[in-house]
Amino acid sequence: MRVITQSKWAKQAAFTLVEMVMVILILGIIVVGVSSFVIFGTRIFVESSAVDQVLSQSRFGVERMTREIRSALPNSTRLLTAADGSYQCIEFVPVTASTSYVNAPIAPAATSNILSAIVINQTILAGQWATIYPLTASEIYNPTGSTAKRFLISNVSTSGDQVDLTFGASIRFTEASPLKRLYLTAQPVSYCVENQPNGTSDLTRYANYGYQNSQPAPTAMANRVIMAQNIINSLLIEPAIILTPSSLVTNAIVHIEPRFSVNGESFKYQHQVQVINVP
């Protein structure tokens, strides 16, 4: 039997300088390759996350805007574009409920503080506005005197299949609706595309700022909520919102065309929303 001494084991376990350098070089190449792969994968993840975030925001903002405009009061949409192209705002009056009236004070009949309508499943509340036969934005946003198209409801009472709306004073509506339509509305809502200091624009929503005769600028409205960011439209050259007004035979059409930017690339929405012209 052959016996190997400790010194013999030590001699066999040793390695040369050349071998050590080769191992270091091989490990270095492996580390560089693995790190490049990890960095590349991380970059792809970060960029895809940024794209997904912008896509999610843009879808939510455009979809929310589309749904609200679709339920706007007929002839209530109006568009304001700043002369310097710093913002665009589309304003409309949201319909909370609609029904048919049974008895209503309508000119030239005498004034009254009560309107009777058919009960519906939708809730009618004090603080909403009753609107009959709205034909122009001026009639909707700027009612005058005791004879107008829109009045604030002060009390609601229901009896059987009839609901009585009480107003704070004796009033009468300017015109009767051919089909006796009655719209119950809330305060106006505005969606604005506003330029930001970083060179992009935000899609913002404003509400609860009240009815105003002239369409207000963003600085005159309250309850600002950002719906989407990274819009890059040059608003005077490539408007993000275009309004085709209604006529006697056509509905109003709101064209929603914001262009979004992310990671040096851009994509554009092209939505058309009809506002039914059935007062």
Side-chain angles (χ1 to χ4, degrees):
M1 182 176 65
R2 184 181 178 187
V3 179
I4 300 176
T5 62
Q6 184 177 1
S7 60
K8 183 66 175 179
W9 279 113
K11 183 177 180 181
Q12 289 185 350
F15 51 84
T16 65
L17 179 61
V18 174
E19 292 173 330
M20 183 177 66
V21 171
M22 290 298 295
V23 170
I24 293 174
L25 288 175
I26 293 172
L27 290 176
I29 293 172
I30 294 174
V31 169
V32 170
V34 172
S35 62
S36 299
F37 177 78
V38 172
I39 293 173
F40 181 71
T42 303
R43 184 182 298 116
I44 291 177
F45 174 77
V46 171
E47 291 179 354
S48 62
S49 296
V51 171
D52 183 65
Q53 182 179 7
V54 173
L55 283 172
S56 298
Q57 280 188 350
S58 62
R59 286 196 197 101
F60 171 79
V62 172
E63 181 64 22
R64 173 75 181 272
M65 182 178 178
T66 299
R67 290 188 180 188
E68 289 201 73
I69 293 176
R70 190 177 288 130
S71 63
L73 181 70
N75 302 307
S76 68
T77 51
R78 54 183 183 176
L79 180 65
L80 177 64
T81 302
D84 60 357
S86 59
Y87 66 83
Q88 272 193 304
C89 292
I90 182 81
E91 185 181 33
F92 57 92
V93 176
V95 173
T96 58
S98 62
T99 183
S100 298
Y101 61 85
V102 178
N103 294 302
I106 297 173
T111 60
S112 174
N113 68 336
I114 295 179
L115 179 151
S116 299
I118 298 173
V119 170
I120 54 175
N121 293 330
Q122 298 163 299
T123 303
I124 302 176
L125 300 172
Q128 295 176 339
W129 281 264
T131 305
I132 293 179
Y133 206 49
L135 294 178
T136 66
S138 177
E139 293 174 336
I140 296 168
Y141 291 97
N142 186 27
T144 56
S146 61
T147 301
K149 296 284 181 82
R150 172 177 62 85
F151 294 99
L152 182 65
I153 301 169
S154 59
N155 187 57
V156 179
S157 61
T158 302
S159 177
D161 61 353
Q162 182 171 300
V163 58
D164 292 331
L165 310 181
T166 304
F167 304 98
S170 292
I171 55 89
R172 61 182 174 179
F173 291 88
T174 307
E175 296 177 81
S177 168
L179 296 179
K180 293 192 173 183
R181 288 190 178 93
L182 172 66
Y183 292 99
L184 292 310
T185 63
Q187 294 190 40
V189 170
S190 287
Y191 277 88
C192 299
V193 177
E194 303 176 64
N195 291 351
Q196 300 301 312
N198 63 0
T200 65
S201 300
D202 292 346
L203 175 64
T204 54
R205 181 183 185 273
Y206 293 90
N208 298 323
Y209 55 85
Y211 285 84
Q212 300 186 28
N213 297 344
S214 299
Q215 185 174 353
T219 53
M221 295 185 286
N223 294 340
R224 180 178 186 265
V225 178
I226 296 177
M227 308 301 291
Q229 296 179 303
N230 298 310
I231 298 174
I232 57 171
N233 294 65
S234 177
L235 299 179
L236 295 180
I237 300 173
E238 184 187 24
I241 307 170
I242 302 171
L243 174 63
T244 302
S246 62
S247 67
L248 293 176
V249 294
T250 60
N251 298 322
I253 300 177
V254 179
H255 307 263
I256 305 173
E257 301 182 357
R259 183 183 296 277
F260 292 87
S261 174
V262 57
N263 293 337
E265 300 181 359
S266 66
F267 59 93
K268 182 178 181 178
Y269 284 89
Q270 289 185 313
H271 277 231
Q272 290 185 353
V273 187
Q274 290 194 58
V275 181
I276 304 300
N277 181 26
V278 186

